[in-house]
Amino acid sequence: MEQWARREDRRLLSGRGRFVADMAVPGCLDAVFVRSRIAHGVVRDVDCAAAREVPGVVGVWSAADLSGLPACAHAAARLQDLPPVPHTLLAKLSTAEAVAGREWPALAKDRVRYAGEAVAVVVGEDRYRAEDGAAEVAVRIDPLPAVVTPSAAADDSVLLFDGRSNTAFRGEAGTPIDETVWKEAAAVVEARYRQQLLMPTPMECRTILAVPEQDGRLTVWSGHQMPHRLRRELAALLGMPVDRIRVVVPDTGGAFGSKSAAFPEFVTVVYLAVMLGRPVRWIEDRLESMTAATRGRGQDQRVRLAADADGHLLAYELQIDADVGAYPHLGVGLPMQTAWMATGPYATPRVHASVRSVLTNTMVTYPYRGAGRPEATIALERSMDLLARRLGLDPAELRRRNFIPADDFPYQTPTGRCYDSGNYAAALDLALETIGYDTWRAEQTRRRHDPHALPLGIGLSCYVERSGGEPGGLHDFAGIEAHEDGTITARCGAASSGQSHETTFPALVAATLGVDVSRVRLIEGDTDAQPEGLGSFASRSAQVDGAALHHASALLIDLARERAADLWGTPVEEVEWSDGSVRHVRDGSAAMDLAELVKDTGPLSVDDRFESGMGFPFGAHAAVAEVDPELGTVRVLRLVAVDDCGVVLNPAVVRGQAFGSAVQGIGQALYEGIPYGDDGVPLLAGGLLDYLLPTASEVPPIEVKETRTPSPSTPLGAKGAGESGCIGTPAAIVNAVADALQIADPGLLQMPLTPDVVWRAARAAKYEGAR
C-alpha cells in the first residue's frame, strides 16, 4: 500500500488542534484536587472552612461532604453489572476477592495509601481561584509506615488494608519444573532483576470536561483511549442510563496506556457537574501528573535458565513480585502478560512463570506502552547473555540455536500462547548485518588490548510480544456510509491518541473501495456517532480496527452490487465492483458510480462487528555502547531496531512508532525511574529535573529496519506496531553495557543505568576480576 502524508499534521503543527484544555464552555468551572503529601496515614481532619471563603471559589468538599460519591471504577460489585469490556481475561483475574474491601475511593476519607491521593476537591470560577482555595484546605494526617517495593510489602509487616494481605493475586503459567532438570543441566544461570516504576509521561496530561445538557443528558469530553468504556463505567458508577451519557475524545496528546480508565478524579468531576448543574473541568498539570498519575512496570524478578553443553535451552523459571500500587485495579492481573510471554522467541521445553501481585504505597500501576512484555523480554534477554558468557558462546549464536523454527508456526508455547507466525532468525540476521556486528566485535577486541581505550560493548535483544488484546477483547465495531455527493464516512470504535488514524484508516477504506482518499472521512471517539466500540490499546489499531473497516468496506461493496442488481433486474453475480463503481458484466452501458447508486436507490450504509485473532509481532534490537568506567557514563553509539509487524499499512507511521518507542526504551534503560524516600514520598519536587526523560541530545543514531511476516489472524495480515522499542531496546542497551564492562553479576546493573549505578558496577567488576 502506498505511503500517504499525515492528514492531521497540518492541524496539529499549526496549533489548530482541539484539546480539552482549549474548549471554551460558557459557565464552566475548574476543579483542583487537594492531595495528601503523605504516602500512608490515617486521615484525622480535612478542614475546608477557610477555602470556602476564598473569592471565586464555588464549593469545597471532602469525602465526608459527598456521601453519595461512589468509589472509583473496578469495584467488584460495579463490574458485575457492566457489559463485556476490553482486557476481559485480565479483568477476570482482578477478581471480586481481590477488590472487595479494597475499593479505590474517589476521595480518601479514613486513610491515604499513596502520596498524591486526593482528599478534597475545590471548584472555582477559574483554575486560579480554585488553586487559591486549595491552598487554604487544612489536612491533618497521622503517618503510618510505608512500603514502596513489592518485595518489601509482601511480608505483610505493614498492611495497606487491615485484616487483608498485601498480596492481592497469585497466578502462574506453564508447569512447575522438577529440580532434577537444574541439577543435570550443563549450565544454569540465576539472576534477580528490578523493573523500576516508570511514568508514561504523555505530552498532554489527563483531562476531563463534564457538561450537563439542557435535555438532561451529560456530555463528557476527555483525552481518553476508550470512550465507550468510560461511558459504561461512569453510567454504572453514577447510576445513570448509558444512553444519557455521551463521551467525546477530541485531539489527544499521547497516552501510552495511561488514559484508559475511569479515574477517581473523573468520577468526582462528573459527579459534581451533575450535582451543580454546571460544566466542570479538570486539567491535570505536569507536577500533579508526576505525583498522582498511573505508573508502569514495577516488578522484582527472580530467574533460572538452564541449557545443555551445546547451548540448547532446557528450562526457564521466572518468579515475579509485581508492584500493583495501593489499590487492586487492572494492575492486579497485568503481570500475567509477563508470565504468558516468558518464553520469548525460543523453543524452551520447560517453562514456568509465577506471579504475586502485591499492594504498595504507590500510585496504581497500570498498562504502559508494552504492558508486561518489556518485563518478560528484559528478564529473558539479560539471562541469555549470562548463559552465553557461561557457555563461552557468542550471544548471537546462542539465540540462533534456540529460535522457534520458521516452519513450526502456529506454535504453542509452554505458557499457553499460540504464536501466529514468525521468522526470528531473519530479524536477528538483519539486525546483525545492519549494525555491522563483526566489525564492532573486532573493534571491541582491539580496545580490550588498548589500556587507554574506553570499553565498548555490543548488546542484543530478541523479543516476541502480543498485540490486539486478549480473547474476549479482540473485536471492534465499524461502519461505512456512502453519500449522494460521493463522499464516504467511515466510523469505528477506536480513539486516536497519536497513532495517525485520521490518515491510515481513510486511506485503507479508499484503497479497499477503489476511490480517491479525499472522498473518505473518519469518525471515531464519539459514542453518539459510533454507539459501540472498544477503543485503542494493546497495539490494536491496524490489526483490529483496520481489519474491521476493511471488512465493513467489503460489505458495502456487496450491498452496492445487490442494489445495482435489483435496479437492473439482473443476477448479482453479473454485477462487478471496480474503482468505486458498479458495472454489468455483459452490458457495458449499465454502469454507475457510488454517488449515482445512492441517488437512485437511497442511503447506502453498513455496520458490523469484526473479531480478530491474536497477533504476535517480533523483532531483534542491537546496541553498541561505550562506557567510561571512571565517570559511569554510557554513550550509545548506535542502535538498530528490526521489527516485524506483518503487513505494513503506512510505512512512515510504522517507522515513527518504532522510533518513538525505541526512545522510550532508551529512557527505561538509562534515565527513567521514580525515586522514593524512606517515607514513600516520590522525590520529584523538581518535576522533570528529577525524573529524567531522554531529549534530542540523548538520542543516539537509531536505524529502523523491518521484516514482514504476515499474520494469518486478520485479512490484512497486520500485527501491532506501537510498542516494539519499549520491548526490545532496554535489554539490548543493558546487555551492551554489561558486555563492555564484562560484568558477570547481573545484580550490579539494575535500570536505570545512571552514572552512579554504572560507576559502582565498574568498580565491583574490577575488584571481582582482580580476585
Side-chain angles (χ1 to χ4, degrees):
M1 193 173 290
E2 65 176 311
Q3 184 172 329
W4 310 283
R6 280 172 34 114
R7 283 186 173 184
E8 49 269 77
D9 281 350
R10 183 179 296 275
R11 180 181 76 255
L12 296 175
L13 295 176
S14 63
R16 291 184 286 114
R18 189 175 186 231
F19 299 85
V20 173
D22 298 323
M23 295 179 179
V25 178
C28 185
L29 304 173
D30 280 280
V32 168
F33 289 90
V34 179
R35 300 186 181 277
S36 170
R37 298 181 181 180
I38 292 174
H40 193 199
V42 177
V43 179
R44 295 303 185 190
D45 186 44
V46 180
D47 186 350
C48 302
R52 293 185 178 114
E53 300 302 318
V54 172
V57 168
V58 174
V60 186
W61 301 269
S62 67
D65 302 316
L66 298 173
S67 59
L69 183 64
C72 186
H74 284 275
R78 303 285 187 180
L79 274 175
Q80 292 172 357
D81 298 330
L82 292 176
V85 296
H87 310 296
T88 301
L89 183 54
L90 296 181
K92 289 180 179 177
L93 292 172
S94 306
T95 59
E97 181 181 356
V99 176
R102 299 187 181 110
E103 288 81 5
W104 191 3
L107 293 175
K109 182 177 182 181
D110 302 316
R111 192 166 174 178
V112 293
R113 295 180 173 87
Y114 62 91
E117 187 165 10
V119 295
V121 59
V122 180
V123 171
E125 295 292 346
D126 57 37
R127 175 69 180 260
Y128 305 102
R129 291 174 173 83
E131 291 277 9
D132 290 344
E136 298 300 320
V137 176
V139 180
R140 185 162 59 89
I141 299 174
D142 292 344
L144 295 170
V147 284
V148 294
T149 67
S151 297
D155 66 4
D156 287 342
S157 59
V158 175
L159 291 176
L160 271 69
F161 294 86
D162 295 336
R164 303 295 304 274
S165 171
N166 292 334
T167 300
F169 169 78
R170 294 178 184 268
E172 63 178 346
T175 304
I177 301 167
D178 190 275
E179 284 298 317
T180 57
V181 175
W182 309 106
K183 294 176 182 178
E184 296 175 359
V188 177
V189 295
E190 300 185 46
R192 290 175 178 263
Y193 304 114
R194 169 65 179 164
Q195 310 281 335
Q196 76 271 38
L197 284 172
L198 303 176
M199 291 188 291
T201 328
M203 291 180 68
E204 177 199 39
C205 300
R206 293 177 294 172
T207 60
I208 188 166
L209 167 62
V211 183
E213 307 290 358
Q214 291 185 351
D215 61 1
R217 297 186 76 208
L218 181 72
T219 300
V220 175
W221 299 81
S222 180
H224 204 271
Q225 296 172 246
M226 303 179 186
H228 296 85
R229 170 181 170 175
L230 180 60
R231 179 182 64 168
R232 285 192 298 265
E233 292 189 346
L234 290 176
L237 289 162
L238 299 172
M240 296 178 65
V242 173
D243 62 3
R244 304 303 293 168
I245 297 177
R246 177 192 182 193
V247 174
V248 184
V249 177
D251 287 323
T252 300
F256 310 126
S258 68
K259 297 179 180 177
S260 53
F263 298 103
E265 294 89 349
F266 287 15
V267 176
T268 303
V269 165
V270 173
Y271 182 88
L272 291 176
V274 173
M275 183 182 79
L276 298 172
R278 291 184 63 178
V280 179
R281 172 178 56 193
W282 174 60
I283 307 297
E284 183 180 50
D285 65 35
R286 179 61 61 191
L287 192 57
E288 186 177 27
S289 176
M290 297 180 73
T291 303
T294 60
R295 311 314 198 195
R297 314 292 187 254
Q299 292 185 7
D300 292 340
Q301 302 170 323
R302 298 177 297 281
V303 306
R304 285 197 290 181
L305 181 64
D308 64 20
D310 293 325
H312 295 110
L313 298 182
L314 300 175
Y316 179 54
E317 181 180 76
L318 173 62
Q319 298 176 337
I320 302 164
D321 282 344
D323 185 346
V324 299
Y327 296 97
H329 205 275
L330 183 59
V332 170
L334 183 62
M336 285 303 297
Q337 288 291 350
T338 306
W340 289 324
M341 297 305 300
T343 54
Y346 307 116
T348 312
R350 299 173 183 86
V351 180
H352 183 241
S354 58
V355 170
R356 288 194 304 181
S357 293
V358 185
L359 302 177
T360 66
N361 292 118
T362 65
M363 173 53 182
V364 167
T365 306
Y366 207 67
Y368 165 53
R369 199 172 194 173
R373 286 92 78 198
E375 298 91 315
T377 297
I378 293 166
L380 180 57
E381 288 302 289
R382 290 197 64 189
S383 299
M384 287 292 285
D385 266 29
L386 292 177
L387 184 61
R389 183 182 180 92
R390 180 73 56 85
L391 291 168
L393 288 173
D394 184 277
E397 178 57 28
L398 178 64
R399 287 168 169 82
R400 280 198 194 94
R401 292 184 187 185
N402 290 284
F403 281 143
I404 299 165
D407 295 336
D408 284 5
F409 293 92
Y411 180 83
Q412 189 73 33
T413 75
T415 55
R417 291 300 201 194
C418 184
Y419 293 171
D420 55 347
S421 63
N423 190 340
Y424 306 145
L428 177 60
D429 289 345
L430 181 56
L432 297 176
E433 176 188 350
T434 304
I435 206 166
Y437 188 70
D438 293 339
T439 301
W440 283 113
R441 283 294 181 204
E443 171 64 10
Q444 181 183 59
T445 300
R446 185 196 69 78
R447 290 193 184 202
R448 285 179 176 174
H449 290 89
D450 181 351
H452 303 292
L454 292 177
L456 180 135
I458 304 100
L460 302 176
S461 174
C462 299
Y463 73 91
V464 184
E465 67 141 323
R466 182 274 288 143
S467 65
E470 293 295 322
L474 284 161
H475 64 277
D476 216 333
F477 302 85
I480 305 290
E481 183 175 1
H483 306 285
E484 288 190 9
D485 61 359
T487 60
I488 296 161
T489 298
R491 301 182 308 277
C492 69
S496 178
S497 54
Q499 299 92 342
S500 302
H501 293 180
E502 192 175 335
T503 295
T504 304
F505 286 164
L508 172 63
V509 170
T512 306
L513 297 177
V515 301
D516 189 272
V517 68
S518 63
R519 294 170 57 180
V520 183
R521 180 174 69 106
L522 175 68
I523 294 178
E524 63 175 7
D526 185 339
T527 60
D528 271 10
Q530 174 60 40
E532 296 180 283
L534 268 70
S536 298
F537 58 95
S539 293
R540 72 197 311 267
S541 291
Q543 180 180 328
V544 179
D545 285 279
L549 286 165
H550 173 83
H551 171 70
S553 299
L555 293 180
L556 186 79
I557 291 173
D558 291 341
L559 181 58
R561 291 175 59 235
E562 292 172 6
R563 289 277 189 87
D566 289 343
L567 183 65
W568 295 333
T570 188
V572 69
E573 293 79 10
E574 295 186 2
V575 178
E576 67 176 6
W577 175 274
S578 177
D579 296 331
S581 300
V582 285
R583 292 183 176 84
H584 196 289
V585 173
R586 291 184 291 104
D587 183 359
S589 64
M592 60 175 58
D593 64 23
L594 197 53
E596 293 176 301
L597 184 64
V598 173
K599 289 177 183 178
D600 287 355
T601 65
L604 194 63
S605 178
V606 295
D607 291 274
D608 205 13
R609 177 188 187 275
F610 176 84
E611 182 151 4
S612 167
M614 296 179 73
F616 291 89
F618 61 91
H621 291 200
V624 178
E626 183 180 75
V627 181
D628 188 331
E630 298 302 320
L631 298 177
T633 55
V634 175
R635 181 184 173 204
V636 179
L637 302 180
R638 196 170 180 203
L639 178 65
V640 169
V642 176
D643 303 309
D644 193 313
C645 60
V647 174
V648 174
L649 302 187
N650 186 312
V653 169
V654 169
R655 178 180 176 81
Q657 291 283 318
F659 192 95
S661 62
V663 172
Q664 286 182 290
I666 293 169
Q668 177 170 5
L670 298 179
Y671 304 108
E672 298 183 48
I674 304 174
Y676 285 96
D678 293 338
D679 57 1
V681 177
L683 304 176
L684 296 169
L688 291 179
L689 294 176
D690 293 322
Y691 184 88
L692 301 182
L693 296 172
T695 69
S697 299
E698 287 79 45
V699 176
I702 300 176
E703 191 160 358
V704 175
K705 294 280 189 175
E706 66 182 27
T707 58
R708 297 189 183 186
T709 309
S711 171
S713 299
T714 77
L716 299 178
K719 307 181 186 184
E723 301 171 280
S724 57
C726 284
I727 298 168
T729 294
I733 292 176
V734 177
N735 281 341
V737 174
D739 184 46
L741 297 175
Q742 301 182 70
I743 291 178
D745 180 2
L748 296 176
L749 286 175
Q750 300 289 357
M751 299 180 297
L753 302 188
T754 62
D756 178 67
V757 169
V758 175
W759 182 82
R760 292 177 186 277
R763 285 176 60 84
K766 179 179 179 180
Y767 293 141
E768 181 66 28
R771 289 200 297 269

